[in-house]
Amino acid sequence: MSGYQGKKNIPRITSDRLLVKGAKIVNDDQSFMADIYMEDGVIKQIGDNLIVPGGVKIIEAHGRMVMPGGIDVHTRFQMPDRGMVSADDFYQGTRAALAGGTTMIIDHVVPEPGVGLVAAFKQWREWADSKSCCDYSLHVDLTDWSKATQEDMETLVKDHGVNSFLVYLAYKDVFQLSDSQIYEVFSVIRDLGAIAQVHAENGDIIAEEQRRILELGITGPEGHALSRPEEVEAEAVNRSVTIANQTNCPLYITKVMSKSAADVIALARKKGAVVYGEPISASLGTDGTHYWSKNWAKAASFVTSPPLSPDPTTPDYLNSLLSCGDLQVTASAHCTYQTSQRAIGKDNFTLIPEGTNGTEERMSLIWDKCVVTGKMDENQFVAVTSTNAAKIFNLYPRKGRIAVGSDADLVLWDPDVTKIISAKSHNLAVEYNIFEGTEVRGGPLVVISQGKVVLEEGNLHTTEGCGRYISRKPFPDQVYKRIKARSRLTELRGVPRGQYDGPVCEVTVSPKIMSMVSSVKTSPTKQQQTQQQITSQPVRNLHQSGFSLSGAQIDDNVPRRTTQRIVAPPGGKANITSLG
């Protein structure tokens, strides 16, 4: 029998039967000593002195921690951008994830303009099925809003195992939706039993700030951070929470990058809101001071949205909120570009392709920043790197737990191993690593994915295209138990009262006629109402006209209102002279 003996080389294990002996099993709620027997990619037995078939490969854990494989809930591998594709495709990206102890990723589908959600989803499936080295699932981003989009959402939930959709409050004139559209989207998501994800930044303010900063002659990566101050992130988070509360829709904020945005989430949760926050490897492990680097290529490699905070105390603050439960899930938002690709924005920071690395480094960074420092224990670590995500997105207990019947995705973790992160040694296709030179303590010794050993003390043995698409059912208990309870409490009822039969004052108000083009184009639930308004606009009463002529007047399209005489302006008459 071959086995893992201390720090010696581990033989590659390809058997479908695997036994881990002497493991300290770490779940989100408890740790205990036991052996784990796996067969055909599933955990079959947990306990002491297990009776297992012959020919089983054995890994001796020697009391070391064995935890559920990490789940990276936000990646953007093979991401198309203006005819380019991000540097790490589904093979390179999932290979790097496995090297860091992550055994499942959830990527984002971003439909191109004019492409339906289902068609875009199938394209991403095709890319991932042929290249992914680990199990994966897919969120779907909503880049516009129409009746067809709503129908595609229903199809994706019912037939394709999607239970999360992302909307953008940023990227004006590209992806950004209006508040009224987001209200409608959230209502649809709630009825479908899905999770509403939000990229939270105020796109209108950013567009103005970008124009102003470019006019000042600032064209480098620092302009990216200057045009997106953290308050525009916090404002958008607050607006998202408000709309989610009004629609009783569960909310998930992606890429929490600043203290103030995290504070909004923490406060909303304290008030009972169903909202989750996702800090990423970059915001937990580094800061935005690098945007001011004299090396343009280095500065550009940090460009992502929302941007990293220039406040160097931000990572420690976010790690503290993650440790106390105010933030719940960690991701990488891994989306990398070569320097030559980023260089299309060398003279204009708004053109730099956005995204940073982080899928390989995520778990070690969090262990080093949170567990080594005593902010969280090993069980909380499992919660924020795996279990919470599995519960929110309805993957639990298949993923995110070591239990009989769960998938055999496990990590044998060494809390004492140290490593210096460097582009020279990472498993990525890019020449820059935003964590360059960072020393981290804690990392995977053995990684088991689908019941097979894929990492053995630094040596990766991955199989391109072996990753399975994992369907996710709607109405996850972790989320919707509270939503259902709130819906029962918040049913609106009118006050029973008698009919008013007193005098009614007569008023004359001409209707304000507005262009409804944008609403018709983008709002499926309002199309029918709008059409009725357009076809049944009121006829002008000529008796109200100051003209003696009959028939159409040249000012018919000007909105009218009743005359008002101002006796005294607010603040008194003296206030008029002080306005200048």
Side-chain angles (χ1 to χ4, degrees):
M1 289 228 183
S2 59
Y4 173 65
Q5 302 294 331
K7 294 274 185 179
K8 295 178 185 175
N9 289 332
I10 318 163
R12 185 178 176 194
I13 299 167
T14 56
S15 168
D16 285 339
R17 293 173 176 175
L18 197 56
L19 178 65
V20 178
K21 296 192 72 172
K24 181 184 181 183
I25 296 174
V26 182
N27 280 319
D28 68 311
D29 56 349
Q30 60 179 342
S31 303
F32 59 96
M33 298 297 297
D35 300 343
I36 310 166
Y37 173 64
M38 294 156 271
E39 187 176 331
D40 299 327
V42 177
I43 298 172
K44 297 290 189 182
Q45 297 181 59
I46 295 175
D48 299 321
N49 306 313
L50 300 178
I51 300 171
V52 298
V56 174
K57 299 293 183 183
I58 298 176
I59 294 177
E60 293 284 356
H62 295 297
R64 282 194 181 85
M65 288 181 283
V66 175
M67 54 185 65
I71 301 173
D72 187 347
V73 282
H74 186 165
T75 63
R76 294 182 182 271
F77 300 144
Q78 214 162 315
M79 173 76 181
D81 185 354
R82 289 165 283 177
M84 304 180 296
V85 179
S86 60
D88 292 312
D89 63 10
F90 275 98
Y91 172 67
Q92 198 76 46
T94 54
R95 181 178 164 85
L98 287 166
T102 290
T103 54
M104 179 174 178
I105 59 107
I106 310 184
D107 205 81
H108 278 264
V109 175
V110 187
E112 297 275 357
V115 178
L117 300 188
V118 175
F121 172 85
K122 288 178 178 176
Q123 175 66 77
W124 255 256
R125 279 290 313 267
E126 188 180 314
W127 289 337
D129 283 340
S130 63
K131 292 190 174 185
S132 182
C133 304
C134 68
D135 289 349
Y136 76 95
S137 197
L138 295 170
H139 308 292
V140 177
D141 295 4
L142 306 180
T143 53
D144 68 1
W145 183 233
S146 65
K147 187 67 176 174
T149 303
Q150 182 177 336
E151 290 168 356
D152 276 357
M153 289 169 68
E154 294 168 3
T155 302
L156 288 169
V157 171
K158 290 172 184 171
D159 301 334
H160 297 285
V162 174
N163 70 3
S164 47
F165 298 91
L166 182 138
V167 296
Y168 292 89
L169 273 63
Y171 306 110
K172 187 177 182 179
D173 299 327
V174 184
F175 296 155
Q176 182 178 329
L177 299 185
S178 69
D179 289 355
S180 57
Q181 290 170 331
I182 289 169
Y183 184 99
E184 290 181 35
V185 170
F186 282 10
S187 300
V188 170
I189 287 174
R190 175 204 62 220
D191 292 343
L192 291 173
I195 312 291
Q197 297 185 307
V198 170
H199 175 113
E201 291 180 288
N202 187 314
D204 292 315
I205 293 176
I206 289 168
E208 295 301 317
E209 287 293 282
Q210 286 177 331
R211 180 179 55 78
R212 182 177 72 86
I213 287 164
L214 285 171
E215 286 174 356
L216 292 172
I218 299 171
T219 61
E222 70 278 11
H224 180 72
L226 291 170
S227 65
R228 303 171 111 96
E230 70 173 64
E231 62 186 346
V232 304
E233 181 189 357
E235 184 278 331
V237 172
N238 186 64
R239 193 155 30 107
S240 304
V241 169
T242 302
I243 299 172
N245 282 343
Q246 296 306 305
T247 54
N248 195 25
C249 178
L251 180 65
Y252 181 102
I253 305 293
T254 65
K255 297 180 74 173
V256 177
M257 305 298 279
S258 65
K259 292 180 180 179
S260 47
D263 285 342
V264 173
I265 295 168
L267 181 60
R269 288 178 61 85
K270 286 179 175 66
K271 292 179 177 178
V274 184
V275 55
Y276 305 95
E278 171 204 276
I280 63 170
S281 309
S283 61
L284 295 169
T286 187
D287 60 60
T289 56
H290 303 279
Y291 292 125
W292 281 264
S293 169
K294 296 286 188 183
N295 180 339
W296 184 93
K298 178 186 176 183
S301 70
F302 286 80
V303 169
T304 189
S305 290
L308 286 156
S309 172
D311 178 356
T313 64
T314 299
D316 185 64
Y317 188 85
L318 294 181
N319 279 298
S320 294
L321 263 61
L322 180 67
S323 301
C324 75
D326 285 346
L327 301 172
Q328 300 73 40
V329 185
T330 57
S332 68
H334 187 105
C335 185
T336 53
Y337 291 92
Q338 303 289 7
T339 301
S340 60
Q341 295 174 305
R342 294 193 190 261
I344 65 170
K346 64 185 177 63
D347 301 317
N348 182 341
F349 64 84
T350 67
L351 301 178
I352 299 173
E354 298 176 2
T356 54
N357 62 284
T359 195
E360 182 174 0
E361 301 85 2
R362 179 180 69 106
M363 291 182 70
S364 288
L365 278 169
I366 295 164
W367 185 271
D368 184 77
K369 303 281 186 186
C370 295
V371 183
V372 172
T373 58
K375 289 178 186 285
M376 68 168 67
D377 60 26
E378 65 211 28
N379 306 99
Q380 290 170 287
F381 174 77
V382 167
V384 300
T385 57
S386 182
T387 309
N388 289 350
K391 288 179 177 178
I392 291 169
F393 294 108
N394 226 0
L395 296 161
Y396 186 85
R398 179 178 178 181
K399 304 288 187 185
R401 188 162 188 85
I402 298 179
V404 173
S406 297
D407 282 357
D409 291 349
L410 310 175
V411 178
L412 176 60
W413 191 262
D414 186 343
D416 301 316
V417 67
T418 58
K419 175 185 178 181
I420 295 176
I421 299 172
S422 173
K424 295 183 177 71
S425 57
H426 67 198
N427 290 280
L428 306 174
V430 283
E431 63 269 62
Y432 272 94
N433 189 307
I434 62 168
F435 308 107
E436 186 72 38
T438 302
E439 184 175 5
V440 289
R441 181 185 299 179
L445 274 181
V446 177
V447 177
I448 299 166
S449 175
Q450 300 176 0
K452 295 182 173 62
V453 173
V454 293
L455 175 74
E456 308 162 342
E457 217 175 41
N459 298 314
L460 276 169
H461 303 285
T462 54
T463 305
E464 189 170 3
C466 75
R468 302 168 296 183
Y469 174 74
I470 308 296
S471 283
R472 296 174 290 132
K473 292 180 180 177
F475 297 104
D477 271 355
Q478 172 83 0
V479 177
Y480 269 87
K481 280 182 178 176
R482 292 166 63 200
I483 293 295
K484 289 171 183 173
R486 290 155 65 99
S487 69
R488 287 192 290 270
L489 284 174
T490 55
E491 286 179 4
L492 301 179
R493 292 185 180 87
V495 177
R497 56 168 71 90
Q499 184 70 32
Y500 175 79
D501 55 3
V504 179
C505 180
E506 288 189 19
V507 294
T508 305
V509 181
S510 296
K512 188 175 181 181
I513 302 166
M514 297 177 63
S515 168
M516 307 296 282
V517 175
S518 60
S519 295
V520 173
K521 175 186 171 187
T522 56
S523 177
T525 60
K526 290 181 181 171
Q527 284 177 354
Q528 193 173 359
Q529 303 167 12
T530 305
Q531 199 59 43
Q532 290 169 355
Q533 287 175 15
I534 291 171
T535 55
S536 60
Q537 284 180 2
V539 178
R540 181 177 176 192
N541 184 347
L542 295 176
H543 292 289
Q544 294 169 9
S545 171
F547 293 98
S548 59
L549 301 173
S550 61
Q553 305 291 342
I554 195 166
D555 64 344
D556 278 355
N557 62 336
V558 178
R560 297 174 181 275
R561 63 181 182 137
T562 51
T563 305
Q564 297 176 356
R565 183 176 175 220
I566 299 174
V567 179
K573 292 181 181 179
N575 216 31
I576 296 175
T577 58
S578 64
L579 292 176

